[in-house]
Amino acid sequence: MGSPAACLFDLDGVLLDTEPLQARAWQEAARHFGCDLSASQLLGLRGRRRGDCAEQVCLWIETATGASPERDALLAVRQPLADLLLAGAAPMPGAEALVQSCLERGIPMALATSSAREAVERKAAPHPWLGLITVRVYGDDPELRGGKPSPDPFLLAAERLRTAPPDCWAFEDSQAGIQAAVTAGCRVFALVPEEGTGTDWSVPEGVTVLRSLEEVTL
């Protein structure tokens, strides 16, 4: 397989263990408006931009209750809880060591995340090692045309590193993110969440499934 020309990392669920906390925040916000979200619905929100998730949740609330809140009203309920929960997010196993290994081997790195810049800065603040990844594509990046599952985040990250996407290794944990990285042409490694086991959660052919980033050998 050889070594990658660059490594492109998703943040939530790959480098930081935030996904259960994100799901809890969406669930509590939906319940505020009279709707319980299923495990499969919460799983489907992974990897997508906050605004896109909010629009989807509003549709689910409308289906369940007959009335939909405004997107901003939903986010006004959800964001304070999410901010409180995410402040305590821990690193994913092997994440810090993999980032350090990339640095030591001279392998360029980029963040390709659906989270907005302000949210990333808040989540990353307790984790100085994330500062080693200086090239970043945020969900609200002005140069980003479309969010995941569009390939644009990974194409833009590769472009900023001046590498060809097929020479990059992309690390993802969501179906939207995996689809984005595959479509971009990257070599994709997927941390399949336990919640995906036994559901219609699927991994495209050619994607390497990981139980932990500790399995990665550069």
Side-chain angles (χ1 to χ4, degrees):
M1 185 184 305
S3 296
C7 286
L8 313 179
F9 295 103
D10 177 44
L11 178 65
D12 295 284
V14 172
L15 297 179
L16 293 181
D17 191 13
T18 56
E19 291 293 4
L21 307 176
Q22 300 271 24
R24 179 179 169 187
W26 284 117
Q27 181 67 280
E28 292 300 321
R31 282 176 178 163
H32 180 83
F33 293 96
C35 174
D36 265 321
L37 300 180
S38 68
S40 62
Q41 286 174 319
L42 292 169
L43 194 61
L45 296 176
R46 286 197 177 199
R48 300 170 63 186
R49 291 185 291 186
R50 180 168 54 194
D52 296 335
C53 289
E55 290 176 2
Q56 179 62 73
V57 172
C58 284
L59 289 175
W60 286 333
I61 293 171
E62 183 175 19
T63 298
T65 69
S68 174
E70 293 293 328
R71 190 184 79 163
D72 288 347
L74 175 67
L75 290 173
V77 174
R78 190 248 180 200
Q79 279 314 114
L81 176 58
D83 292 346
L84 181 64
L85 291 171
L86 293 171
M92 293 291 286
E96 183 175 358
L98 180 55
V99 169
Q100 291 282 0
S101 182
C102 285
L103 180 69
E104 292 166 3
R105 294 172 180 272
I107 298 173
M109 296 176 283
L111 200 64
T113 176
S114 294
S115 292
R117 177 189 290 268
E118 181 271 335
V120 172
E121 291 175 349
R122 185 172 58 252
K123 287 180 279 191
H127 307 284
W129 56 275
L130 286 172
L132 299 175
I133 308 176
T134 58
V135 175
R136 300 181 175 188
V137 175
Y138 301 102
D140 59 351
D141 194 300
E143 295 184 39
L144 186 64
R145 291 174 295 177
K148 303 171 187 178
S150 162
D152 293 350
F154 289 102
L155 294 175
L156 185 56
E159 178 183 339
R160 288 179 177 174
L161 291 176
R162 299 182 180 180
T163 56
D167 298 328
C168 297
W169 288 8
F171 296 87
E172 268 291 352
D173 72 307
S174 68
Q175 287 195 299
I178 292 168
Q179 181 180 335
V182 168
T183 305
C186 302
R187 174 82 169 89
V188 183
F189 295 81
L191 287 166
V192 177
E194 291 184 8
E195 301 95 312
T197 306
T199 70
D200 59 358
W201 214 97
S202 61
V203 176
E205 185 177 353
V207 171
T208 300
V209 175
L210 302 173
R211 291 169 296 179
S212 167
L213 292 178
E214 295 169 319
E215 300 175 7
V216 179
T217 301
L218 296 173

